[in-house]
């Protein structure tokens, strides 16, 4: 009798390795390395005349893998598709089934939220069919994004500059960033003052600070003290005041723990607390999910699936977390009833789970020796948040005291100050999860207590503009507006940075001049594409397709008809000169015609208006974007003449040059660090550079002492197969920089 053999196909080799550990000899586990089929790169690949039928091809990089999977499937009894349980994972399973072309009785779909032995074996006991509703939703998103990107991007090439891109979600994200920048530019600061007094109760410690809140019984608003003169007038009145406690109120306050992480909140917290980008967070979380070798246990999935907007927690985890907490902090560490959280997101699938550790007893200290620094930090963040979500409230005692400063001694003219204190009575969940809560101590105060005043200090303030978006605040805003879904936040932010629309300065997202130009063009002529509500409504349509309430072809048709008609009209109506050229007073030194400011993919530059007859072009004089603007001096001296170096902007972006130009023509590239050490010398930093033709590459900052360079952006990791540096590749994958190795894995969707 022939021994039964089954094939399990996952999308990642790391995931395959972890799952293999749990299955017996009757199973073979292989990886598809992400999508096995996709739309072609060099053509639209969507038949708009025949119900938007996609044309799927097997990319060159996947042909070898496709052949291996076909041969493996031919010799097995049942093929299990075990890709992730979301729309993208469902589509991967469907593409695999189409590729293998096996009878339906020989293929099954299995899903799980965590890569543990129990979860894997349970999924094999409860297989299902591929959910074509989820496949349709993914297919609709892919087709919509291809139609927008493939048709609108070339429009931008023709009207602005080659190499630009537009997209349903990315263009809305750029609009948010541009509009915030315009708010900042228009902002006019307003001056206001506060007055604080350092007070002491005789014979008691500590001294404490109180802030002026009322004058003569009238509450002072933020701008009530509008100048130094007004503040000085108050100080003069308080010079001989008698200070006493007017009222004291005490309260007991309970604060509950935060719910476990979703994709959005994990990206926000990892950015705020750890400084991780959204892409970095998801890449590290993927590693923790797929499995890390933790010694005796071997490859182990440490967290549940990280693309989710559900706050649901498995009963097994809740029970395990409560047992752990009782054992380490005592029975009072947990509430009588387990905490269960309900998500506010209408698109969340409650059958899914929040992001949590697969085993609450596997503490950060237990796994730290087996994780790199980034993995350890993220695992600890996830572990603490999830475990703390099952803990008792923190209990605090708050005290508020109103202190009257009587300036005349008759009670007629009284300035009232307010002091607040907080003490933690019971830490509760604060034992595990750090919070912004800080203790502020006040002495024992009672009504009519007399106080002594130390310095009374006026403080000048100015209102501040709204802050630039960070990755965390942008993700939060996208989620609040229903723009995109958990799987899209990280790639959206990565795209707008890589395309040159946004740059990160001190962790803040700053739009480039190109972002303003392209955004204004799209807002004026393609308002639906960058409309927040329209984009959110499209996401709702995709959700309804996934739930079986809508068909995907009518949804795409409803969008594409008006979009195509408008695109055709605007292509004929709009001139590149009107959009991307500015007149100047400069004259071309070669032909005498006026020079104009043009926009390229890498910023503004001066070019002859006689193009193409005269191809003269040159950088703008200065890093400011107007001819004649002064270039900012940087903290570096010219290696040839000793003059200060300045930052300038050229046709291919920013660079450093000598301030003595044209007498001294020393120039240097501006080193743009990417946060990765050189894999070769281990001393230098990998920096982004450009060739003479503008092509980006990555090289060691110690050049020419170290000549290591890569054409693709390194991730900072080493290949698990050959040890060469891993680099980011297209189609949301990471691959080995050694072409002979062939290692590749899917990391983002």
């Amino acid at each position: 009798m022939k021994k039964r053999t089954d094939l399990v196909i996952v999308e990642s080799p790391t995931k395959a390795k972890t799952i293999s550990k749990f299955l017996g000899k009757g199973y073979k586990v292989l990886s598809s390395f992400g999508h096995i089929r996709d739309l072609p790169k060099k053509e639209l690949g969507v038949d708009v005349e025949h119900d938007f039928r996609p044309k799927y091809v097997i990319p060159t990089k996947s042909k070898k893998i496709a052949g291996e999977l076909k041969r493996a499937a031919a010799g097995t009894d049942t093929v299990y598709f075990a890709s992730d349980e979301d729309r993208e994972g469902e589509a991967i399973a469907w593409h695999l089934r189409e590729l293998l072309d096996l009878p339906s009785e020989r293929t099954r779909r299995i899903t799980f939220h965590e890569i543990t032995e129990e979860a894997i074996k349970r999924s094999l006991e409860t297989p299902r069919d591929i959910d074509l509703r989820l496949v349709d939703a993914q297919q609709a998103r892919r087709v919509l994004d291809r139609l927008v990107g493939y048709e609108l991007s070339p429009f931008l090439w023709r009207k602005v500059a080659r190499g630009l891109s537009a997209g349903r979600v990315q263009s809305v994200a750029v609009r948010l960033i541009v509009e915030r920048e315009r708010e900042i530019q228009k902002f006019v600061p307003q001056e206001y003052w506060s007055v604080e007094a350092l007070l002491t109760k005789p014979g008691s410690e500590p001294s404490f600070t109180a802030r002026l809140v009322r004058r003569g019984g009238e509450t002072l608003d933020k701008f009530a003290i509008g100048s130094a003169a007004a503040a000085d007038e108050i100080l003069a009145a308080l010079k001989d005041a008698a200070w006493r406690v007017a009222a004291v109120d005490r309260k007991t306050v309970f604060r509950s723990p935060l719910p476990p992480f979703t994709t959005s909140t994990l990206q926000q917290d990892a950015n705020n607390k750890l400084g991780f980008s959204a892409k970095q967070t998801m890449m590290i979380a993927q590693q923790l999910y797929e499995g890390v070798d933790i010694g005796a246990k071997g490859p182990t999935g440490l967290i549940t699936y990280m693309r989710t907007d559900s706050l649901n927690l498995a009963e097994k985890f809740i029970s395990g977390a409560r047992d752990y907490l009782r054992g380490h902090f005592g029975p009072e560490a947990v509430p009588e009833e387990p905490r269960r959280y309900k998500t506010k997101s209408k698109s969340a699938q409650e059958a899914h789970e929040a992001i949590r550790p697969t085993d609450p007893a596997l503490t950060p200290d237990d796994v730290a020796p087996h994780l790199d620094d980034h993995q350890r930090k993220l695992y600890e963040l996830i572990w603490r948040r999830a475990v703390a979500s099952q803990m008792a409230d923190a209990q605090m005692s708050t005290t508020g005291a109103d202190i009257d400063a009587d300036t005349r001694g008759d009670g007629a003219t009284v300035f009232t100050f307010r002091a607040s204190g907080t003490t933690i009575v019971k830490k509760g969940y604060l034992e595990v999860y750090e919070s912004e809560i800080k203790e502020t101590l006040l002495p024992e105060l009672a009504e009519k207590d007399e106080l002594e005043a130390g310095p009374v200090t006026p403080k000048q303030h100015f209102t501040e503009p709204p802050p630039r978006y960070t990755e965390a605040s942008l993700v939060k805003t996208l989620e609040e507006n229903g723009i995109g879904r958990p799987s899209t936040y990280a790639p959206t932010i990565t795209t707008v940075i890589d395309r040159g629309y946004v740059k990160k300065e001190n962790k803040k997202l700053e739009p480039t001049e190109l972002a303003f130009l392209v955004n204004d063009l799209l807002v004026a002529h393609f308002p639906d594409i960058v409309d927040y509500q329209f984009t959110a409504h499209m996401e709702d349509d995709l959700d309804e397709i996934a739930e079986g309430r809508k068909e995907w072809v009518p949804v795409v048709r409803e969008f594409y008809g008006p979009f195509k008609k408008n695109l055709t009209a605007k292509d004929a109506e709009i001139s590149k000169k009107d959009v991307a050229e500015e007149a100047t007073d400069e004259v071309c030194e070669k032909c005498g015609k006026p020079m104009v400011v043009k926009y390229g993919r890498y910023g503004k530059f001066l070019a002859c208006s006689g193009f193409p007859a005269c191809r003269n072009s040159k950088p703008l004089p200065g890093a400011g974007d107007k001819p004649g603007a002064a270039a900012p001096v940087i903290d570096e001296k010219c290696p040839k003449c000793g003059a200060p170096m300045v930052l300038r902007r050229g046709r291919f972006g920013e660079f450093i040059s000598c301030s003595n130009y044209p007498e001294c023509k020393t120039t240097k590239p501006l080193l743009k660090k990417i946060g990765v050490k050189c894999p070769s010398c281990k001393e230098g930093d990998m920096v982004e550079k450009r060739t003479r033709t503008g092509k980006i590459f990555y090289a060691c900052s110690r050049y020419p002492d170290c000549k290591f360079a890569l054409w693709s952006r390194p991730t900072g990791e080493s290949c698990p197969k050959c040890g060469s540096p891993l680099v980011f590749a297209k189609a949301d994958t990471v691959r080995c920089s050694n072409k002979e190795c062939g290692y590749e894995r899917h990391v983002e969707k």
Side-chain angles (χ1 to χ4, degrees):
M1 181 177 175
K2 180 178 176 291
K3 190 174 181 180
R4 178 184 175 88
T5 304
D6 292 333
L7 174 64
V8 179
I9 304 178
V10 297
E11 65 272 68
S12 153
T14 305
K15 192 174 176 182
K17 184 178 179 182
T18 306
I19 291 175
S20 295
K21 183 180 72 169
F22 305 129
L23 301 179
K25 294 181 180 178
Y27 291 93
K28 186 174 185 179
V29 186
L30 295 177
S31 167
S32 69
F33 291 84
H35 274 284
I36 202 75
R37 299 196 308 173
D38 199 1
L39 298 175
K41 287 184 178 181
K42 296 184 178 180
E43 59 179 286
L44 180 61
V46 177
D47 188 346
V48 296
E49 302 296 330
H50 297 89
D51 289 341
F52 304 96
R53 187 183 303 141
K55 174 187 175 183
Y56 292 115
V57 298
I58 301 173
T60 303
K61 68 179 181 64
S62 299
K63 287 183 178 178
K64 182 179 177 182
I65 299 163
E68 291 173 356
L69 292 176
K70 283 183 176 181
R71 287 190 293 273
T76 57
D77 297 302
T78 303
V79 177
Y80 292 95
F81 303 118
S83 46
D84 293 336
E85 188 179 16
D86 57 13
R87 296 174 196 173
E88 204 76 24
E90 208 71 17
I92 289 173
W94 178 75
H95 282 295
L96 285 167
R97 189 178 71 180
E98 294 293 299
L99 169 77
L100 300 179
D101 193 24
L102 295 172
S104 58
E105 62 270 16
R106 287 186 57 198
T107 62
R108 304 297 286 162
R109 175 83 166 108
I110 59 171
T111 57
F112 34 82
H113 306 302
E114 61 186 29
I115 303 179
T116 59
E117 184 171 5
E118 180 184 355
I120 300 304
K121 290 185 175 179
R122 185 171 59 245
S123 70
L124 287 167
E125 293 168 0
T126 55
R128 61 170 173 82
D129 292 328
I130 292 173
D131 189 337
L132 294 178
R133 299 172 304 172
L134 296 180
V135 176
D136 285 348
Q138 188 275 343
Q139 197 159 233
R141 179 187 290 280
R142 188 75 182 93
V143 168
L144 281 167
D145 289 344
R146 173 54 68 99
L147 291 172
V148 172
Y150 211 87
E151 299 204 2
L152 191 53
S153 295
F155 171 83
L156 294 178
W157 300 356
R158 293 189 293 273
K159 307 305 176 184
V160 183
R162 289 194 63 81
L164 300 182
S165 72
R168 276 189 325 109
V169 178
Q170 78 169 62
S171 296
V172 176
V174 171
R175 181 179 182 180
L176 283 167
I177 295 167
V178 165
E179 290 185 346
R180 174 61 58 86
E181 192 70 17
R182 285 201 164 119
E183 288 180 57
I184 295 169
Q185 292 170 351
K186 292 177 183 177
F187 181 81
V188 178
Q190 183 174 349
E191 180 184 10
Y192 66 99
W193 289 72
S194 63
V195 177
E196 293 182 352
L198 184 66
L199 303 172
T200 306
K201 179 181 177 181
S204 297
E205 292 291 341
S207 298
F208 61 97
T209 300
R211 187 184 180 105
L212 178 63
V213 292
R214 291 195 298 276
R215 176 167 49 190
E218 180 182 347
T219 300
L220 300 175
D221 66 24
K222 182 176 180 177
F223 301 106
I225 309 172
S227 65
D232 289 342
E233 184 182 327
I234 293 171
L235 260 63
L238 289 168
K239 189 173 182 182
D240 297 315
W243 298 76
R244 65 177 57 85
V245 178
V248 179
D249 60 88
R250 294 182 176 85
K251 294 178 182 177
T252 298
V253 177
F254 295 91
R255 184 167 293 186
S256 298
L258 294 167
F261 283 127
T262 61
T263 301
S264 166
T265 53
L266 175 63
Q267 291 176 2
Q268 292 172 50
D269 234 30
N271 185 249
N272 290 328
K273 294 182 176 180
L274 306 178
F276 292 174
S277 68
K279 183 172 185 175
Q280 187 180 21
T281 297
M282 296 307 287
M283 184 178 71
I284 299 165
Q286 183 99 25
Q287 295 164 4
L288 297 174
Y289 165 69
E290 292 182 346
V292 179
D293 193 327
I294 58 171
K297 287 190 174 183
T300 302
L302 294 178
I303 65 169
T304 53
Y305 190 51
M306 61 284 151
R307 293 184 184 88
T308 176
D309 48 12
S310 172
L311 294 177
N312 189 38
L313 289 170
E315 292 300 318
K316 182 179 178 182
F317 172 81
I318 292 174
S319 174
R322 287 169 64 86
D323 288 344
Y324 170 85
L325 292 166
R326 278 191 289 258
H328 284 74
F329 301 103
E332 69 281 358
V334 295
E336 288 187 16
E337 293 296 324
R339 295 186 187 274
R340 293 179 175 83
Y341 298 89
K342 190 78 174 175
T343 182
K344 295 179 182 178
S345 172
K346 61 183 179 181
S347 65
Q349 299 180 58
E350 290 302 323
H352 291 179
E353 280 198 71
I355 304 169
R356 62 165 177 83
T358 54
D359 182 358
L362 207 55
T363 68
D365 288 341
D366 292 334
V367 300
H370 309 286
L371 305 181
D372 65 32
D373 191 51
H374 286 58
Q375 292 170 336
R376 177 188 59 77
K377 287 178 178 178
L378 193 66
Y379 180 73
E380 183 170 358
L381 193 70
I382 293 167
W383 186 91
R384 291 187 180 280
R385 176 80 166 236
V387 171
S389 75
Q390 294 305 307
M391 296 185 74
D393 290 347
Q395 181 181 336
M396 287 157 287
S397 175
T398 64
T399 302
D402 285 346
I403 294 114
D404 286 347
D406 190 342
T407 61
R408 295 182 182 174
D410 58 5
T413 306
V414 174
F415 290 86
T416 302
F417 287 70
R418 180 78 175 174
S420 300
T422 300
T423 56
I424 297 173
V425 180
K426 292 182 180 179
K427 294 189 74 172
Y429 74 92
L430 297 176
E431 293 277 9
V432 169
Y433 194 75
E434 292 182 7
S435 170
E436 302 293 324
I437 300 170
K438 292 183 179 178
E439 289 192 308
T440 307
L441 301 179
L442 293 179
E444 281 294 325
L445 298 176
E447 192 175 336
K448 298 184 179 179
D449 279 350
E450 294 190 355
L451 304 175
E452 294 177 354
V456 179
T457 309
K459 291 186 177 181
Q460 185 185 35
H461 309 274
F462 290 93
T463 53
E464 295 183 352
R468 285 188 177 125
Y469 283 108
T470 61
E471 290 203 20
S473 59
L474 182 60
V475 166
K476 184 177 181 181
T477 302
L478 290 171
E479 183 182 42
E480 288 174 346
N481 285 276
I483 299 165
R485 287 296 181 261
S487 62
T488 65
Y489 303 138
T492 295
I493 294 172
T494 299
T495 298
V496 300
I497 293 173
D498 289 348
R499 296 294 185 183
Y501 292 124
V502 175
K503 58 183 179 180
K504 262 195 344 188
E505 296 287 343
N506 298 319
K507 298 184 180 180
K508 301 293 178 68
L509 300 175
E510 181 183 352
T512 62
E513 58 193 10
L514 201 57
F516 285 96
L517 178 67
V518 172
N519 176 71
D520 292 350
L521 178 64
L522 295 179
V523 169
H525 300 287
F526 299 91
D528 283 351
I529 295 296
V530 289
D531 180 75
Y532 305 142
Q533 292 184 345
F534 179 85
T535 306
H537 175 69
M538 184 64 72
E539 294 293 344
D540 291 339
D541 282 345
L542 294 173
D543 291 340
E544 291 195 53
I545 294 168
E547 292 159 8
R549 295 202 299 268
K550 283 189 175 181
E551 297 292 328
W552 78 268
V553 171
V555 168
V556 174
R557 184 181 292 117
E558 182 182 2
F559 164 82
Y560 184 70
F563 167 74
K564 181 64 174 179
K565 182 179 179 181
N566 186 46
L567 181 63
T568 302
K570 296 300 180 182
D571 209 7
E573 171 189 328
I574 298 171
S575 162
K576 184 171 184 175
K577 285 190 176 183
D578 295 335
V579 174
E581 288 188 13
E582 297 175 19
T584 74
D585 295 330
E586 292 202 28
V587 175
C588 176
E589 63 271 24
K590 292 186 177 180
C591 73
K593 291 186 177 179
M595 297 290 281
V596 294
V597 176
K598 288 189 175 184
Y599 288 80
R601 183 179 176 185
Y602 307 113
K604 293 180 178 180
F605 62 97
L606 281 173
C608 180
S609 59
F611 180 87
C614 178
R615 295 179 176 268
N616 185 27
S617 67
K618 56 185 178 180
L620 283 172
D625 295 323
K626 296 177 181 177
V633 176
I634 64 171
D635 188 21
E636 188 175 338
K637 299 294 184 183
C638 175
K640 289 187 178 179
C641 72
M645 299 290 278
V646 295
L647 183 67
R648 298 188 185 275
R649 183 183 296 276
R651 181 171 182 176
F652 300 114
E654 293 178 324
F655 65 99
I656 299 168
S657 75
C658 182
S659 57
N660 251 344
Y661 180 87
E663 287 76 16
C664 177
K665 297 183 178 180
T666 300
T667 62
K668 293 173 62 177
L670 181 66
L671 297 182
K672 182 179 178 182
K673 296 181 181 179
I674 63 170
V676 173
K677 282 290 183 184
C678 175
S680 178
C681 70
K682 312 294 184 185
E683 295 180 23
D685 295 296
M686 293 299 288
V687 296
E688 181 182 304
K689 292 187 173 184
R690 294 184 187 276
T691 65
R692 291 180 181 274
T693 58
K695 187 175 180 180
I696 293 175
F697 68 101
Y698 302 89
C700 180
S701 60
R702 294 180 62 244
Y703 179 85
D705 295 327
C706 176
K707 297 183 179 180
F708 181 81
L710 294 166
W711 284 113
S712 299
R713 187 186 183 104
T715 68
E717 301 174 275
S718 297
C719 174
K721 285 179 65 178
C722 72
S724 300
L726 291 180
V727 295
F728 291 108
K730 294 181 180 179
D732 305 323
T733 57
V734 164
R735 63 172 175 81
C736 182
S737 57
N738 177 5
K739 293 182 179 180
E740 295 180 0
C741 172
Y743 173 80
E744 189 171 86
R745 75 164 184 261
H746 188 73
V747 292
E748 285 292 353
K749 295 178 180 165

